Amino acid sequence: MRKALRFPRGLYGVTPEWDDTRRLVSAVREAATGGMRALQLRRKTASDSLRAEQARELAAVCRDLGVVFMINDHWQLALEVGADGVHVGRDDASVADIQAQAGPDLLIGVSCYNDLDRAKTLLELNVDYIAFGAVFPSPTKPDAVHVPLDVLTQACELAESRNAPCPAVVAIGGITPHNAAQVVESGADSIAV
């Protein structure tokens, strides 16, 4: 049995690039009813004002639903709207800078792509989850690096070596109902779709 985690096990929803906030909120409510445990607002093309509007709406909805709410890239916005955390990639703000400025209460998840050495380095910074992907070809990110399932297994071993509650391992990229079982069997704690 895996140790207790800092980030929820299960379905981790990632928002599509929808400008219609009402439609987005409705979809989030449906996904939570279906078992979604965490949500990431990922709006790469939205204006700052629309992203902030959606972040405020989704923060309140996720609080009501008991869903952990993360914001991609924008840690200051996460603090402003009362989100639970932020997800950052290689080209975003550094984890150390976020921790120094945001304090210990903001969850931090990080993209590790297919790089276990990156995961080791970030685990030393006490992140809350390490994400790997694309596990399968993804229409959202067709040029994403491929992550073999055994990398997820190795990542779980790295995460397990941390003190409990330990960081979660998140898998993303091309995951469908038809291939999700393989990802779970590899040890991933959360599946991002």
Side-chain angles (χ1 to χ4, degrees):
M1 178 74 172
R2 296 275 316 265
K3 294 179 185 174
L5 298 175
R6 296 182 206 153
F7 188 79
R9 283 184 174 89
L11 185 60
Y12 182 8
V14 180
T15 62
E17 287 288 339
W18 292 349
D19 291 342
D20 184 338
T21 302
R22 183 177 293 162
R23 178 181 178 206
L24 187 58
V25 166
S26 177
V28 166
R29 287 187 184 283
E30 285 182 44
T33 300
M36 180 180 69
R37 306 280 318 279
L39 174 73
Q40 180 185 130
L41 175 64
R42 184 180 190 279
R43 292 303 316 267
K44 296 288 190 178
T45 62
S47 67
D48 290 345
S49 61
L50 178 58
R51 183 183 304 109
E53 171 197 321
Q54 290 184 336
R56 279 189 297 279
E57 289 273 339
L58 291 175
V61 168
C62 287
R63 246 187 320 276
D64 290 345
L65 296 170
V67 170
V68 171
F69 181 51
M70 307 289 287
I71 295 180
N72 185 278
D73 299 343
H74 301 275
W75 66 268
Q76 298 97 333
L77 179 60
L79 289 175
E80 180 184 315
V81 302
D84 297 295
V86 65
H87 176 92
V88 292
R90 185 178 6 240
D91 299 325
D92 300 319
S94 78
V95 169
D97 287 346
I98 294 169
Q99 290 169 328
Q101 296 179 58
D105 295 331
L106 189 70
L107 295 174
I108 300 176
V110 293
S111 291
C112 294
Y113 313 97
N114 63 353
D115 189 343
L116 288 168
D117 288 332
R118 176 175 168 78
K120 288 177 192 172
T121 299
L122 292 165
L123 286 170
E124 290 301 319
L125 294 173
N126 214 27
V127 296
D128 298 289
Y129 72 75
I130 50 177
F132 293 85
V135 179
F136 302 106
S138 169
T140 306
K141 286 189 170 185
D143 298 327
V145 296
H146 173 68
V147 178
L149 293 173
D150 70 315
V151 169
L152 296 175
T153 304
Q154 293 173 62
C156 290
E157 292 169 4
L158 289 173
E160 277 285 312
S161 70
R162 311 304 295 174
N163 291 331
C166 64
V169 173
V170 175
I172 190 168
I175 302 170
T176 69
H178 303 291
N179 60 26
Q182 296 172 59
V183 178
V184 172
E185 288 166 10
S186 73
D189 300 300
S190 297
I191 296 176
V193 294

